[in-house]
Amino acid sequence: MNILVINAGSSSLKYQIINILSQQVLAKGLAERIGIEGGRIKHQYATNEGFGEYILEENLPEHATAFEAITGLLTHPDFGVIENPESIKAIGHRVVHGGEKFTKTQIITPEVKEAIKTLIPLAPLHNPANLIGIEASEKFFPNAVQVAVFDTAFFATLPEHAYRYAIPKKFYTDNSIRVYGFHGTSHKFVYNEAKKILKNDHLKAITIHLGNGASMAAVNENGESIDTTLGFGPLCGLAMGTRSGDIDPSVIFYMVEELGFSLQEVKNILNKESGMLGLGGSSDARDINEKCEQGDADAKLTLELYTYRIKKYIGSYFAALNGIDTIIFTAGLGENDAVVRSWSCKNLEALGIKLDEEANVKFNHTKVPVEIQAPESKVKILIIPTNEELEIAQQTYELIK
C-alpha cells in the first residue's frame, strides 16, 4: 500500500510517498515559496541507483496550485512513481495541534476539519496551513482516505499535575490553557525504535529532539509520555535556535513596563531573536561550534547554556520517572552535533550516565540507530535518526488497514 504523507506549512508543502509494507520511500519533495514570487518544487524519485531529482520552477500562487503540480510530478512518465492519483489509498497529514479533543489519529471528516479550525487560536501559524493542505489533497486525491496525525496526541497521557499551570482554574476550564507539548510524532517514533533496538518493551526513556525548535519528553515503561519541556506554545523549556526557552515572566513585565517595548516586540524578541542567535550571533549550531573552537566567549557561553538546560531536564525527568533505561538523541543537532551530545552528558555519572566520547564522534551523522554509551554506563545512550514521515504513514496505515 502506497501512503502519501503531507506536511503543509504557510508557504511550503513537504511530501513523501511511502510503500508502508516495505517502508521504502518512492518519492519525496518540497514545494517552496507558495504564494510568493519564485515558486519552486524539488522532487526526488526512487531509481535503481538511489534517487533521481527534478526541479520545477514556477509560481505557486496557492497550495492547490502546488498540489496540482506535485500530482503532475508524481504521475509523470519520466520521474513519476504512480500511474494515477487512484494509486494512493491514503494520505496522512501532519496536524500540529489537536488540543484536548484529538488524542489519537483520526480519519478526516467535515466534523474533524471543523474541530481543527476551532483549534486555530492555539496554533495560529500551523493549523491553518495544515487545513489548507488537507483541502488541497481532497481535491486532487478524492478517492484517498484522508487521515490527521496530531503532534500533540503523544502527550495526551500527561498526568494533570504535569499539564496544569498554577494559575486560576478558570483559565484551564474556560480558555484551555495547559501544557500540550509538541514534536510528539518524533518523540513517539524514536521511543518505539529504541524498544526494538534494546529489545525491551518496557523502557523508561528520556527523548531529546534537538532541531531549530527543541524539546524533551519523559516516557514511562508503558510508553506513555508523563512530561515534556514544551507547553502551551513552543517557546518554553530548552534554549533553541531563535527561541529563549524558559524565562522568568518578570523579565517580560520589565521589558514592557520599564524598557518601553510593546508586547508584540517582546514576543518577536523571545521567538525570533533569542536562543543561540541572541546569545552567540547565529541560530546555526555549526556556526556556534566553529566560533567556540576559535575561542569566542559568547559562542562558548551559548553551548554551555544550551547543554546545561538539557542536563537540568535530564535530572528532572530522571526523578519524575524514578530512574531511566535510556536517553535518546534525535533531530538535526541530536543526530549531527557531537559537541552538544558530549556536553549534555558530562558529569552525570551519579545518575549512571556516561558517554563513550570516541563512539560519540565516530557515529556523528549516523543514518541508523547506534549506541554511544561507555561500557560502564548503566543507562543506554542512543542516537536515533527521526522519521516523522514514516511515523505518520505507519499511524495512517494502522488506522485504515
Side-chain angles (χ1 to χ4, degrees):
M1 180 186 286
N2 294 334
I3 292 178
L4 175 60
V5 175
I6 297 296
N7 184 352
S10 57
S11 61
S12 66
L13 199 157
K14 287 198 289 187
Y15 62 92
Q16 280 194 19
I17 291 184
I18 298 172
N19 182 308
I20 197 61
L21 300 181
S22 66
Q23 297 194 353
Q24 180 188 4
V25 177
L26 303 180
K28 57 185 177 180
L30 171 65
E32 299 178 284
R33 300 181 65 82
I34 298 172
I36 309 168
E37 197 74 20
R40 181 177 184 268
I41 300 177
K42 179 181 177 181
H43 174 72
Q44 295 178 286
Y45 52 97
T47 67
N48 292 332
E49 293 77 37
F51 277 94
E53 184 174 292
Y54 179 78
I55 305 293
L56 176 67
E57 294 187 344
E58 64 177 42
N59 286 337
L60 304 168
E62 58 186 9
H63 284 72
T65 315
F67 234 106
E68 184 174 16
I70 290 166
T71 305
L73 293 170
L74 293 173
T75 56
H76 194 279
D78 296 328
F79 35 79
V81 295
I82 56 174
E83 288 186 18
N84 51 55
E86 285 68 38
S87 302
I88 299 296
K89 303 304 179 188
I91 301 179
H93 295 267
R94 179 193 181 214
V95 180
V96 166
H97 217 303
E100 289 189 309
K101 184 173 182 62
F102 297 117
T103 59
K104 294 179 180 177
T105 300
Q106 298 281 327
I107 291 176
I108 296 170
T109 63
E111 292 75 23
V112 169
K113 285 196 291 183
E114 198 56 41
I116 293 171
K117 282 181 188 174
T118 67
L119 294 168
I120 284 175
L122 299 179
L125 297 180
H126 295 94
N127 273 29
N130 300 155
L131 269 172
I132 290 169
I134 289 168
E135 289 174 346
S137 70
E138 286 174 333
K139 179 178 178 182
F140 291 98
F141 294 86
N143 297 322
V145 180
Q146 309 283 338
V147 174
V149 179
F150 298 92
D151 256 11
T152 50
F154 184 57
F155 303 110
T157 54
L158 262 59
E160 191 169 10
H161 62 257
Y163 72 69
R164 285 284 296 276
Y165 292 112
I167 57 177
K169 184 177 180 180
K170 64 180 180 180
F171 292 108
Y172 169 63
T173 55
D174 298 350
N175 307 110
S176 303
I177 296 176
R178 54 157 288 176
V179 170
Y180 289 104
F182 300 92
H183 303 138
T185 307
S186 175
H187 288 289
K188 182 173 183 177
F189 177 81
V190 297
Y191 175 80
N192 286 333
E193 288 296 293
K195 287 200 301 183
K196 298 176 197 171
I197 296 155
L198 300 178
K199 297 180 172 58
N200 183 349
D201 285 337
H202 301 286
L203 284 177
K204 290 183 181 180
I206 297 173
T207 53
I208 307 175
H209 177 106
L210 303 176
N212 192 50
S215 64
M216 292 170 61
V219 188
N220 69 16
E221 63 273 21
N222 299 317
E224 299 165 338
S225 177
I226 64 160
D227 208 345
T228 187
T229 57
L230 289 178
F232 179 72
L235 184 58
C236 60
L238 304 177
M240 306 177 219
T242 63
R243 297 179 197 143
S244 66
D246 288 340
I247 189 167
D248 180 350
S250 301
V251 174
I252 298 169
F253 308 147
Y254 183 81
M255 292 172 78
V256 172
E257 295 170 357
E258 302 298 331
L259 303 183
F261 288 97
S262 69
L263 275 174
Q264 186 59 45
E265 287 172 327
V266 174
K267 182 179 178 181
N268 192 65
I269 290 167
L270 297 183
N271 277 288
K272 298 181 179 179
E273 299 176 12
S274 297
M276 285 189 170
L277 177 62
L279 284 169
S282 173
S283 62
D284 192 317
R286 290 169 293 190
D287 296 338
I288 300 297
N289 277 321
E290 189 176 331
K291 287 181 176 182
C292 189
E293 288 172 5
Q294 295 166 355
D296 185 289
D298 289 339
K300 183 172 183 286
L301 173 63
T302 301
L303 282 174
E304 286 175 337
L305 187 152
Y306 186 89
T307 54
Y308 179 65
R309 289 273 180 92
I310 294 169
K311 282 176 65 171
K312 281 208 300 184
Y313 275 107
I314 288 174
S316 171
Y317 289 170
F318 188 99
L321 289 163
N322 191 22
I324 58 172
D325 300 303
T326 183
I327 292 172
I328 305 162
F329 288 95
T330 193
L333 276 75
E335 298 166 27
N336 304 303
D337 196 315
V339 174
V340 164
R341 291 192 302 268
S342 174
W343 289 23
S344 298
C345 292
K346 268 202 175 96
N347 300 320
L348 292 177
E349 289 87 353
L351 302 182
I353 299 165
K354 186 168 175 57
L355 191 73
D356 182 325
E357 296 291 351
E358 287 187 15
N360 182 44
V361 173
K362 177 183 176 182
F363 292 116
N364 204 31
H365 310 295
T366 182
K367 301 300 180 192
V368 295
V370 290
E371 296 182 30
I372 56 169
Q373 74 278 354
E376 65 270 29
S377 180
K378 295 177 182 177
V379 173
K380 301 285 189 182
I381 306 172
L382 306 179
I383 307 170
I384 301 182
T386 193
N387 193 333
E388 292 168 281
E389 288 79 15
L390 179 56
E391 179 65 29
I392 290 169
Q394 286 175 334
Q395 290 192 39
T396 298
Y397 175 68
E398 288 298 320
L399 186 65
I400 66 167
K401 69 178 181 180

